[in-house]
Amino acid sequence: MSSAHYPDGPRGDQLGAHVGTGAKEGINKYPTSISLASRGKSKASGPVNKIGFAQLPAELQIDIFGYLNRSDLKSVRGVCKVLCNNASPRLFRSVVACARYQALSAMQKLSLHHAYKFYVKEIVFDGSVYDQSLAFRAERYAKEAEKFENLRHGFSWEIQQRYRRYKELYEDQENMRQGGVLLHTIARALEWMPNISSVVYSPTPRLVPVEANIVRDLLPRGVMGSCYWDRRYEQYIESSQHGIHHLIAAIYLAQYSGIHEFRAELPNPDQSDAKTDFTIYVFSFPDPQHLDAGKYFFRQLRKVELNISLVLPGCMDQPHADQNGQAQLSNISALLAEARDLEKLALQICDWDAEPRRMYGHILPSNQSMLPHFGLYSTWPKLRSLILGGIYAAEKEVLDLLTRHKDTLVEAKFSFCSLLDGAWANIIDEVVYGTRLNPFQVISVNETVIGGVNFCNMSDEMRKKWQYVGHVAIDSDGQRYFVSCSR
């Protein structure tokens, strides 16, 4: 997914955007005409009719433009009016929402455009934040900046100027959150963008073009100070994890009912130093109104894809580490139970560990299954696709989950899931002979105890031998069987 889509170029200059040069080079990468043989004649026996790309049906052009990146789309829009009109739906498909004035202003202007507001199908919430410990500690800011090649150099006055700019942006961020600017601006914009159907949480910073000059020489959002012991975790959790509460509250405030998909993405591995993970702290609700807003939001959803981390960076070493993990998990269960129209559920716990105590022992007893605490005892009457990753459970619970949805479920995938008791062989046999699941796939799943030996105490080589990898296949006679793949 590309970064924020905002008006750019000669067709969007009324929104204060700027088009890149080189429109001709951008469009010349792609064929500009298509040769069609005359009906009933071969290429050798008659003339060839040529139709220019601009003469293709608008629907086909729009589909083709879906394969272009943002810079090429901007170049296409500068060619002619027809291509501009057909490239715009792709360019303005997504909009970024976050506690930053420039980005929020761009979203607001797009929502007021007479045509572009109808193209917006997706809101991307940029979860990355400016860090409190860096904003109020110049020496810490300088120390973190040393880790980035492009920030190491400069006169002392330049470094001080960068730090002051970072601090100002942090203060703007907090003022927008606490003053209601973020909430009410999003709620008002939703009134003008009627076709939004998807919300995405991005843990990796999303750069909005109008911000490029402001942030080009600053520490990226999502970078944390290396000193944790004096961090005010309650404030940091509110700042880094509860920002998306404002978006969900805005949807509730506007009674916007058209959003049917919610995704919390994995961080971009190329930007691992700058990320703000989606964690269970997102589900800490300060008051009942937050839970009510969340229930309204989940009630409309048909697709839910969550990549959740169980820990906040640095939190595990703190004396005030979270003691209310079960309350947060209870909120997750309550929200998923509201999604009665759910058709696809993908729930993946990040940073799987072969040792249950290290994996989730800080929030649950390590001999307990995760399934009931993550809402997976619920039944969704329309569920067709189930993807689970990093989950600890019992064989019977997994079988019950599949059995409850056997009339609707057609696809299932388990990756890095561990059985506290029972065997994956039994689950696979039931899937092959007792369900119609296809595709069904297991990737690196295991039992926690094998022949009296804890899986976590095995060597890496032995672990690989005791992990299941494979999928269900169907032969030419319609017989189902399991294909085990070597690792």
Side-chain angles (χ1 to χ4, degrees), residues 283 285 291-292 294-302 304 306 328-345 347 371-383 401 404-405:
F283 300 95
F285 297 136
L291 182 58
D292 291 340
K295 287 182 176 180
Y296 175 83
F297 176 65
F298 271 75
R299 206 171 292 142
Q300 322 302 325
L301 297 179
R302 297 171 188 169
V304 174
L306 302 180
Q328 295 159 3
L329 296 178
S330 176
N331 287 334
I332 296 176
S333 299
L335 296 180
L336 284 176
E338 293 291 325
R340 303 301 297 165
D341 293 329
L342 199 61
E343 298 173 4
K344 177 178 181 179
L345 174 61
L347 178 62
L371 258 64
H373 300 284
F374 278 93
L376 295 172
Y377 273 13
S378 297
T379 301
W380 297 279
K382 301 179 182 179
L383 189 67
L401 177 61
R404 290 199 308 275
H405 299 95

Side-chain angles (χ1 to χ4, degrees), residues 196-235:
I196 296 174
S197 60
S198 174
V199 167
V200 176
Y201 176 93
S202 173
T204 306
R206 297 295 186 106
L207 179 64
V208 177
V210 294
E211 298 179 294
N213 288 333
I214 299 174
V215 303
R216 71 181 187 280
D217 55 358
L218 297 182
L219 271 176
R221 296 181 305 277
V223 172
M224 292 179 57
S226 57
C227 300
Y228 297 123
W229 54 83
D230 61 347
R231 180 186 301 281
R232 291 182 57 217
Y233 272 94
E234 295 80 3
Q235 194 280 336

